[in-house]
Amino acid sequence: METKLPPASTPTSPSSPGLSPVPPPDKVDGFSRRSLRRARPRRSHSSSQFRYQSNQQELTPLPLLKADLKGKEVKRAALNELVECVGSTRGVLIEPVYPDIIRMISVNIFRTLPPSENPEFDPEEDEPNLEPSWPHLQLVYEFFLRFLESPDFQPSVAKRYVDQKFVLMLLELFDSEDPREREYLKTILHRVYGKFLGLRAYIRKQCSHIFLRFIYELEHFNGVAELLEILGSIINGFALPLKTEHKQFLVRVLIPLHSVKSLSVFHAQLAYCVVQFLEKDATLTEHVIRGLLKYWPKTCTQKEVMFLGEMEEILDVIEPSQFVKIQEPLFKQVARCVSSPHFQVAERALYFWNNEYILSLIEDNCHTVLPAVFGTLYQVSKEHWNQTIVSLIYNVLKTFMEMNGKLFDELTASYKLEKQQEQQKARERQELWQGLEELRLRRLQGTQGAKEAPLQRLTPQVAASGGQS
Amino acid sequence: MAGAAGPGIGPGAAGGDGDDSLYPIAVLIDELRNEDVQLRLNSIKKLSTIALALGVERTRTELLPFLTDTIYDEDEVLLALAEQLGNFTGLVGGPDFAHCLLPPLESLATVEETVVRDKAVESLRQISQEHTPVALEAHFVPLVKRLASGDWFTSRTSACGLFSVCYPRASNALKAEIRQCFRSLCTDDTPMVRRAAASKLGEFAKVLELDSVKSEIVPLFTNLASDEQDSVRLLAVEACVSIAQLLSQDDLEALVMPTLRQAAEDKSWRVRYMVADKFSELQKAVGPKITLSDLIPAFQNLLKDCEAEVRAAAAHKVKELCENLPIEGRETIIMNQILPYIKELVSDTNQHVKSALASVIMGLSTILGKENTIEHLLPLFLAQLKDECPEVRLNIISNLDCVNEVIGIRQLSQSLLPAIVELAEDAKWRVRLAIIEYMPLLAGQLGVEFFDEKLNSLCMAWLVDHVYAIREAATSNLMKLVQKFGTEWAQNTIVPKVLVMANDPNYLHRMTTLFCINALSEACGQEITTKQMLPIVLKMAGDQVANVRFNVAKSLQKIGPILDTEALQEEVKPVLQKLGQDEDMDVKYFAQEAISGIAARARKLDFPVKDSDEPSVPGADKNHFWRPRGPREDTGKGPAYQLHVNTRDTLARLEMAELVLFFPKQRLIPLD
């Protein structure tokens, strides 16, 4: 029978079993220690001593390298045979083999992942650190996958061995730097979630623990994108009405995930999950959008562009009744983006006006949206350094004019007045704080000197304004 | 609406308490609610001013309820709020009212963002001390219990940090409850909470009665140390240090050691790393007997761990471990049980391990004494001096003083020299920079003779390095050397070589001469400066490159304080005046700066000022570092000039900034 292989897996060439990959040549880079770290031989990976084993064996001296190679070849051949057998022979998965199979899998795949060779590993820039024992590991994963997908596979028997502890260790492996391993893990966890109903809640809970730790403690976990991809399909299958637990996951885990530095690595999957939720339950829209506004990036323009992209995806599916609830804060943020000196941010924000659906929403609510953005657009149209942005803004202003000429004229007229009022307000604020500061000093003197000293002298202008208001 | 309500409250309060009426709470709240985050943040940061204006009673009844409701703001605002509230006790009426601050802080302790929560907990810990015992029981402990049973992990993690501050002052019945609460957090379902509890376990153990430590903390510790998540287990290692300090040797052996042994051999390298990292603390906590029986073997294992991270952490601790061994028998233990492992590490495959070792290994020589050092350690030092990794060599060189005390540096100097030369010529400029910084130290250790013979040429070579940072470091290196070896040495060896560079065809090298003069003039004193350096500087005023000319102006300003008035009047002033008429505007600018700088100094020191006929140019005021340049001024120049404008201006800006920093110091130096 045919078995689907995950896309990243490639057949290993039998000529080089068990050989570590050749380390990449040193980069000629005067600034980082990376090149030197790379040179480190990879001997410390996956030492057998620290593999998880229920009964730890005594270590015996390793045989000579040649014999070792031979042993590895034997293991590889045996694994190949197993993969072949479980995939194509019917009736071999009888009950007594389950514990042995799960034990074989556990002993081989569960291990403490080695320290990253590059603490500042940037998944977008750096080469991942590949797992040296992959020629064996791949076969074990392949076997595990075929085992789960076999028509003979009985979840009711397997659930005695595939328990919570097993799943927890499986989840920890998602931190592997090797994308091939994570790809297998993703497919496997997906199958496990599908077949073991009793483990579903546990898997979701542990995933959210991993995410929370990632957000609030470490900012480092390699498998976030893969876990989110699985969650995307899980969310897709949620029954309606959504349970509180699921809503909480959206608000307290998925939304804060947007604040992580390495957002770009998993943003597509995350946005997919968010939109899935909104398609299930439109009443969550307000929560989500307010959440995104709360975590809106302040210094990272690259992330800002991603946020704008996600916002547009959300607006694509938003219900008009929900739009009304968030239009004002949302468009104030959009206006701020338009005034960004980074032209890509400004441009991405201005593209909102190319979206037919968004445009119709704006039109329906122009009495709220226009005042929220007008001042900024008007100002930026005069000040932005980038010509493309300026002409895009002119287009937007033109749309506004066509949309509601009267309102547009009013806003243009009141713009100057508002500017003046702003200055006036700033002056008043300064006076207020000055008064407060003086009062504070007097009070401090009062407490230091005679405590009962009457505070009779008032600043005249503050007294006047206090009387007026 | 708010405006109408404001005065309504105002006059009522005004009758009794003077000027409170001036600031209706609504106005202040408007400030705290401003749409602009930055303004909101500014207002929050001045919260104490607002509270003072309102007075204690209205702060309690009006401001705090409002603050309790603003918990939905930006994290940055919340962080400022959490911080402010920690110092608010006086503003709400003193310790009797400290509990009024609990509601807003309680909400802040439950928010998602970690820094806000941590700050709220910090503030809560602070004000807990200001509570009366009664208020503590009535308000603070219930708050801790509420947080500990909160339904989201954030409040439970925050609770973990509050147990140790309220426990000592609670009644016995309440103490039992508090312990119970803490126990349940240690077994919480969420790993985040277990981690928080584990990280506070040691702190909590310290305030508990010894019996409770044994009966309750130890089981919790054992549990956490065998948690399914390594992130929890490793925190238990930290707690181990505090707990071990509390127990007697016998209890220690029975209650803690099995767990610690297990941690040192944990299957996760993170836990083993933690043991290595905390090794000195652990060693002190368990005492010498257990150190010898248990910790030394564990340390040996860590030194040959399969993960480099663990080996490096352990290597860092080698010196401290040896220092803290009981003096009696120390030498034998080190020689037999530690040194063999160290020898292995010297040729480790990982450079971080080697460089960690290199940063401490020299310290062993004082512990082991002269003979052992020569026989056993010296070969290791020499091997590390030849290591392929520059960081290892640097670490050895930077710690030379330890060895010098014990065996004298001569033993090493033969191997030292090639190592230094190689580092001095390393392709990476950061390595060269690092070795330059050790030069004054080396010079002191090796003595002037050895230095002149072997190292002097290196120091001069750095002056013409192609990286500016190296040339800059080389200049200040020369200054330090002169401070060490004296002016006579400077006059004979350094100054002539520096001055020769004034004729170099490369203008960068000519400028280096000026930078060197800036650095050396003070150390060399008036005579050398006036007789040898000044003529060269003045001659360079006619340089064809503008950068050199305006650096002449800057140099003259810098060395001005060292020169006597005669030289200033007769030699410096005419040159500066000529530069002040230069065709290049930057040269002009810096020349004017120098003139007014020197003149101002002279006036201050009460010297007759003859050059008051020419007032300083308008652009030359102190705040003017950077002149906006009209487009016309640029277009007048040829294209070649244009190319240099930007670099030069940037340079000028940087150097001006540096000058301003330098100036206050200079002013204090008397003229002669």
Side-chain angles (χ1 to χ4, degrees):
Chain A
M1 71 160 280
E2 250 187 17
T3 327
K4 263 189 291 173
L5 275 179
S9 61
T10 44
T12 37
S13 82
S15 60
S16 61
L19 283 179
S20 317
V22 183
D26 280 7
K27 283 186 195 163
V28 189
D29 174 6
F31 299 106
S32 81
R33 309 178 315 184
R34 205 174 287 156
S35 55
L36 286 159
R37 289 189 67 93
R38 284 275 160 87
R40 167 183 140 170
R42 320 220 156 180
R43 68 171 180 86
S44 57
H45 278 217
S46 63
S47 153
S48 58
Q49 195 182 356
F50 295 104
R51 289 246 171 123
Y52 174 75
Q53 276 168 336
S54 46
N55 49 344
Q56 188 102 43
Q57 293 159 356
E58 268 310 304
L59 286 182
T60 46
L62 287 171
L64 292 170
L65 191 64
K66 249 186 185 167
D68 192 24
L69 271 182
K70 201 176 157 206
K72 283 177 178 167
E73 178 55 31
V74 169
K75 178 169 175 175
R76 207 189 59 82
L79 282 168
N80 252 333
E81 209 175 315
L82 280 171
V83 170
E84 196 63 25
C85 172
V86 76
S88 56
T89 324
R90 296 293 305 266
V92 287
L93 291 184
I94 50 167
E95 218 174 310
V97 302
Y98 278 74
D100 290 332
I101 287 177
I102 296 300
R103 202 179 107 74
M104 186 280 274
I105 292 167
S106 304
V107 166
N108 277 288
I109 66 172
F110 294 148
R111 64 208 193 276
T112 306
L113 295 169
S116 173
E117 300 215 349
N118 173 5
E120 300 109 49
F121 178 69
D122 178 354
E124 287 204 308
E125 292 232 333
D126 299 327
E127 284 289 310
N129 193 5
L130 296 179
E131 174 61 49
S133 61
W134 188 242
H136 284 161
L137 262 188
Q138 187 200 11
L139 290 170
V140 178
Y141 278 122
E142 184 61 36
F143 172 77
F144 191 12
L145 192 59
R146 293 196 188 193
F147 169 65
L148 289 170
E149 286 174 343
S150 162
D152 291 342
F153 178 74
Q154 288 177 283
S156 54
V157 180
K159 76 176 180 196
R160 263 174 272 160
Y161 313 105
V162 179
D163 53 5
Q164 295 193 345
K165 191 157 190 205
F166 184 92
V167 167
L168 185 68
M169 287 193 282
L170 199 64
L171 282 167
E172 276 175 7
L173 290 175
F174 274 82
D175 195 19
S176 167
E177 239 177 76
D178 193 330
R180 302 170 299 183
E181 180 167 18
R182 295 201 306 270
E183 192 63 34
Y184 262 113
L185 285 164
K186 182 180 81 187
T187 323
I188 285 169
L189 186 69
H190 187 260
R191 303 289 184 273
V192 170
Y193 190 87
K195 296 197 190 270
F196 298 88
L197 302 186
L199 287 172
R200 289 185 171 185
Y202 184 79
I203 292 176
R204 289 198 305 270
K205 192 173 79 182
Q206 293 306 327
C207 281
S208 83
H209 287 165
I210 289 176
F211 290 149
L212 288 170
R213 180 161 193 233
F214 173 64
I215 301 165
Y216 295 116
E217 295 182 8
L218 284 185
E219 290 231 344
H220 180 89
F221 191 84
N222 289 314
V224 174
E226 284 81 4
L227 288 178
L228 283 170
E229 205 175 325
I230 301 170
L231 282 164
S233 74
I234 292 176
I235 295 163
N236 207 347
F238 279 162
L240 289 172
L242 289 177
K243 286 191 203 160
T244 331
E245 175 212 328
H246 302 327
K247 291 186 192 169
Q248 202 177 44
F249 178 72
L250 170 69
V251 176
R252 311 201 98 157
V253 183
L254 290 185
I255 299 298
L257 257 182
H258 287 83
S259 66
V260 177
K261 199 166 74 184
S262 55
L263 177 69
S264 60
V265 181
F266 55 85
H267 181 253
Q269 290 84 350
L270 180 59
Y272 177 79
C273 286
V274 170
V275 173
Q276 285 294 307
F277 261 114
L278 297 185
E279 287 195 343
K280 287 261 165 192
D281 183 353
T283 59
L284 292 166
T285 313
E286 189 184 350
H287 254 108
V288 167
I289 293 188
R290 284 194 191 275
L292 288 181
L293 292 176
K294 181 181 166 185
Y295 292 113
W296 203 274
K298 298 197 172 47
T299 52
C300 181
T301 46
Q302 190 204 3
K303 269 174 77 176
E304 227 173 333
V305 173
M306 287 185 254
F307 269 58
L308 284 164
E310 184 172 350
M311 202 52 98
E312 188 168 353
E313 278 181 58
I314 293 172
L315 288 176
D316 271 332
V317 300
I318 200 168
E319 284 180 13
S321 60
Q322 296 294 321
F323 180 81
V324 179
K325 292 184 188 165
I326 47 79
Q327 52 184 353
E328 208 178 334
L330 171 63
F331 274 88
K332 282 196 171 144
Q333 181 58 58
V334 173
R336 271 197 289 276
C337 292
V338 170
S339 69
S340 167
H342 195 305
F343 80 98
Q344 283 177 340
V345 175
E347 188 179 51
R348 187 67 192 85
L350 286 162
Y351 282 163
F352 277 26
W353 276 270
N354 295 349
N355 184 313
E356 292 286 328
Y357 182 60
I358 298 178
L359 205 58
S360 74
L361 288 168
I362 295 175
E363 191 161 7
D364 294 343
N365 301 285
C366 64
H367 282 279
T368 322
V369 176
L370 251 64
V373 297
F374 183 82
T376 316
L377 289 185
Y378 192 80
Q379 199 179 346
V380 177
S381 72
K382 296 196 184 318
E383 288 173 1
H384 207 282
W385 63 272
N386 185 298
Q387 272 313 307
T388 321
I389 299 302
V390 173
S391 59
L392 280 171
I393 293 180
Y394 275 130
N395 286 340
V396 171
L397 289 173
K398 210 171 116 218
T399 331
F400 280 161
M401 213 169 0
E402 286 159 5
M403 209 179 264
N404 191 332
K406 190 161 158 277
L407 181 61
F408 186 86
D409 291 342
E410 280 169 23
L411 287 171
T412 321
S414 61
Y415 175 77
K416 263 211 172 121
L417 196 68
E418 268 171 32
K419 278 278 149 195
Q420 282 171 356
Q421 277 174 347
E422 259 171 47
Q423 282 173 0
Q424 170 73 19
K425 263 194 184 159
R427 256 201 311 280
E428 279 172 18
R429 170 171 307 113
Q430 207 189 342
E431 281 166 13
L432 170 75
W433 282 106
Q434 220 165 16
L436 281 172
E437 186 58 26
E438 282 166 18
L439 181 62
R440 188 180 73 93
L441 290 176
R442 277 208 305 284
R443 290 243 163 142
L444 282 181
Q445 278 167 6
T447 46
Q448 276 164 11
K451 218 183 170 190
E452 306 303 315
L455 303 159
Q456 74 289 61
R457 205 165 41 79
L458 313 177
T459 17
Q461 87 235 33
V462 180
S465 75
Q468 267 170 21
S469 60
Chain B
M1 287 288 284
I9 300 167
D17 198 10
D19 46 3
D20 280 6
S21 61
L22 292 178
Y23 301 107
I25 183 86
V27 176
L28 301 176
I29 284 177
D30 265 0
E31 279 300 292
L32 294 173
R33 252 192 206 141
N34 197 298
E35 207 175 298
D36 186 331
V37 186
Q38 193 53 49
L39 289 176
R40 223 153 58 218
L41 193 60
N42 292 345
S43 311
I44 283 282
K45 283 184 175 159
K46 289 190 218 149
L47 201 59
S48 58
T49 309
I50 295 182
L52 257 173
L54 286 173
V56 291
E57 198 180 326
R58 294 185 61 204
T59 300
R60 289 201 299 271
T61 54
E62 294 174 46
L63 185 61
L64 285 178
F66 165 73
L67 292 176
T68 314
D69 291 338
T70 32
I71 301 307
Y72 303 98
D73 207 331
E74 294 264 343
D75 290 329
E76 193 141 358
V77 177
L78 297 184
L79 176 68
L81 178 59
E83 188 169 4
Q84 291 277 316
L85 290 177
N87 303 311
F88 238 57
T89 311
L91 297 165
V92 293
D96 288 343
F97 297 97
H99 64 268
C100 297
L101 299 170
L102 297 182
L105 283 172
E106 179 174 355
S107 314
L108 289 170
T110 62
V111 299
E112 315 263 272
E113 179 50 51
T114 327
V115 285
V116 178
R117 258 187 286 139
D118 288 349
K119 190 52 91 180
V121 169
E122 199 185 310
S123 289
L124 278 170
R125 287 169 70 110
Q126 210 169 321
I127 62 170
S128 74
Q129 303 305 321
E130 287 156 353
H131 277 67
T132 58
V134 181
L136 194 80
E137 293 212 352
H139 302 284
F140 198 87
V141 176
L143 167 136
V144 178
K145 285 200 279 189
R146 272 197 304 278
L147 285 176
S149 55
D151 62 347
W152 191 242
F153 81 95
T154 52
S155 77
R156 302 203 296 276
T157 24
S158 293
C160 293
L162 297 172
F163 289 99
S164 64
V165 291
C166 61
Y167 188 83
R169 294 164 69 203
S171 69
N172 279 340
L174 217 46
K175 278 185 175 176
E177 272 186 62
I178 295 174
R179 289 199 304 270
Q180 170 59 35
C181 261
F182 191 79
R183 261 207 309 279
S184 67
L185 291 180
C186 286
T187 52
D188 198 279
D189 190 33
T190 322
M192 276 79 70
V193 179
R194 291 204 303 278
R195 279 193 287 275
S199 68
K200 300 291 175 191
L201 185 67
E203 179 189 292
F204 189 51
K206 282 186 189 161
V207 300
L208 249 59
E209 299 76 12
L210 188 58
D211 282 345
S212 309
V213 173
K214 281 195 236 172
S215 64
E216 296 187 35
I217 294 291
V218 168
L220 291 177
F221 164 68
T222 316
N223 253 338
L224 291 169
S226 52
D227 196 275
E228 59 189 9
Q229 305 233 338
D230 60 358
S231 54
V232 180
R233 293 202 299 275
L234 66 88
L235 290 168
V237 175
E238 253 184 300
C240 184
V241 175
S242 312
I243 296 171
Q245 286 167 345
L246 303 169
L247 299 176
S248 69
Q249 286 284 313
D250 289 346
D251 288 336
L252 209 56
E253 180 53 52
L255 299 172
V256 175
M257 285 318 290
T259 314
L260 183 57
R261 277 184 213 116
Q262 188 191 316
E265 290 172 1
D266 198 282
K267 66 177 190 287
S268 162
W269 63 270
R270 290 186 186 87
V271 181
R272 301 197 304 276
Y273 173 89
M274 199 62 161
V275 175
D277 196 45
K278 297 277 166 216
F279 214 85
S280 304
E281 288 92 330
L282 285 168
Q283 186 189 2
K284 282 181 198 146
V286 299
K289 193 164 152 256
I290 296 181
T291 298
L292 294 188
S293 63
D294 279 278
L295 291 194
I296 298 273
F299 194 69
Q300 292 168 342
N301 283 333
L302 294 171
L303 285 177
K304 53 176 190 172
D305 196 277
C306 67
E307 291 298 350
E309 265 73 3
V310 181
R311 290 199 302 278
H316 262 304
K317 302 290 166 185
V318 163
K319 183 187 154 206
E320 269 181 79
L321 173 100
C322 295
E323 266 174 354
N324 295 334
L325 287 172
I327 302 215
E328 198 181 326
R330 180 162 77 174
E331 198 183 308
T332 338
I333 297 166
I334 298 174
M335 295 304 295
N336 297 335
Q337 301 192 44
I338 308 283
L339 203 62
Y341 293 88
I342 293 180
K343 282 182 181 159
E344 294 274 308
L345 288 189
V346 168
S347 50
D348 199 276
T349 46
N350 183 290
Q351 62 137 333
H352 293 283
V353 177
K354 285 186 293 187
S355 86
L357 183 68
S359 68
V360 297
I361 190 173
M362 309 288 267
L364 290 182
S365 50
T366 35
I367 302 172
L368 288 177
K370 190 172 177 181
E371 267 170 43
N372 283 325
T373 302
I374 293 176
E375 193 183 337
H376 298 283
L377 292 178
L378 200 56
L380 303 183
F381 300 158
L382 296 177
Q384 294 206 300
L385 273 177
K386 294 192 189 94
D387 198 276
E388 58 179 9
C389 161
E391 206 180 316
V392 175
R393 282 174 271 152
L394 272 175
N395 279 347
I396 290 289
I397 290 174
S398 63
N399 287 304
L400 275 179
D401 44 342
C402 313
V403 184
N404 199 15
E405 287 162 21
V406 182
I407 58 170
I409 210 157
R410 289 283 158 187
Q411 295 272 3
L412 272 175
S413 56
Q414 282 320 307
S415 321
L416 211 48
L417 198 63
I420 294 172
V421 172
E422 206 177 315
L423 287 169
E425 288 160 359
D426 197 282
K428 295 193 176 102
W429 67 268
R430 280 162 206 272
V431 175
R432 299 201 297 277
L433 187 63
I435 189 74
I436 293 178
E437 273 157 15
Y438 295 123
M439 266 302 148
L441 175 83
L442 284 170
Q445 308 275 337
L446 293 165
V448 65
E449 247 169 69
F450 186 89
F451 184 87
D452 276 345
E453 195 180 320
K454 318 271 186 190
L455 300 178
N456 199 359
S457 53
L458 283 180
C459 291
M460 300 318 287
W462 282 320
L463 286 175
V464 292
D465 197 281
H466 62 274
V467 175
Y468 176 74
I470 300 298
R471 296 198 298 274
E472 192 190 25
T475 347
S476 67
N477 173 44
L478 286 187
M479 182 183 71
K480 288 179 196 148
L481 289 174
V482 171
Q483 283 167 353
K484 207 153 234 151
F485 292 152
T487 48
E488 199 180 318
W489 175 81
Q491 201 174 358
N492 294 332
T493 46
I494 300 280
V495 176
K497 289 184 189 165
V498 167
L499 296 182
V500 164
M501 278 175 18
N503 302 319
D504 198 286
N506 185 335
Y507 85 101
L508 290 172
H509 296 178
R510 297 202 294 278
M511 287 204 325
T512 308
T513 299
L514 291 171
F515 297 146
C516 285
I517 288 173
N518 294 347
L520 291 177
S521 58
E522 193 189 316
C524 287
Q526 196 184 36
E527 201 192 321
I528 299 178
T529 309
T530 318
K531 289 206 177 128
Q532 300 194 11
M533 296 177 180
L534 186 61
I536 300 290
V537 179
L538 295 174
K539 202 183 107 203
M540 289 168 86
D543 200 287
Q544 54 177 356
V545 177
N547 298 51
V548 178
R549 291 200 303 278
F550 76 65
N551 271 300
V552 166
K554 292 203 288 186
S555 285
L556 287 174
Q557 180 169 7
K558 216 162 220 172
I559 64 175
I562 297 157
L563 303 171
D564 59 18
T565 11
E566 196 187 331
L568 280 175
Q569 281 300 334
E570 315 257 303
E571 301 182 63
V572 175
K573 197 180 143 197
V575 171
L576 280 177
Q577 275 169 344
K578 184 166 167 270
L579 288 175
Q581 309 297 319
D582 200 278
E583 58 171 9
D584 184 278
M585 61 182 308
D586 290 317
V587 178
K588 237 191 270 182
Y589 173 74
F590 284 110
Q592 299 290 4
E593 276 284 285
I595 290 172
S596 50
I598 291 172
R601 241 189 59 77
R603 239 176 267 127
K604 211 167 210 174
L605 295 171
D606 231 14
F607 278 104
V609 186
K610 292 184 204 158
D611 57 351
S612 54
D613 51 327
E614 196 184 334
S616 60
V617 283
D621 67 61
K622 283 246 152 48
N623 298 322
H624 194 136
F625 309 134
W626 165 241
R627 293 158 303 147
R629 196 187 276 266
R632 219 179 314 139
E633 288 175 277
D634 274 346
T635 44
K637 311 276 178 178
Y641 178 84
Q642 285 234 324
L643 281 177
H644 292 286
V645 166
N646 282 333
T647 353
R648 201 135 54 80
D649 278 351
T650 320
L651 252 181
R653 246 192 311 179
L654 288 173
E655 282 163 8
M656 277 312 290
E658 177 196 282
L659 201 91
V660 169
L661 284 177
F662 200 65
F663 229 102
K665 271 191 267 166
Q666 282 283 302
R667 279 205 183 130
L668 297 176
I669 297 165
L671 252 189
D672 45 331

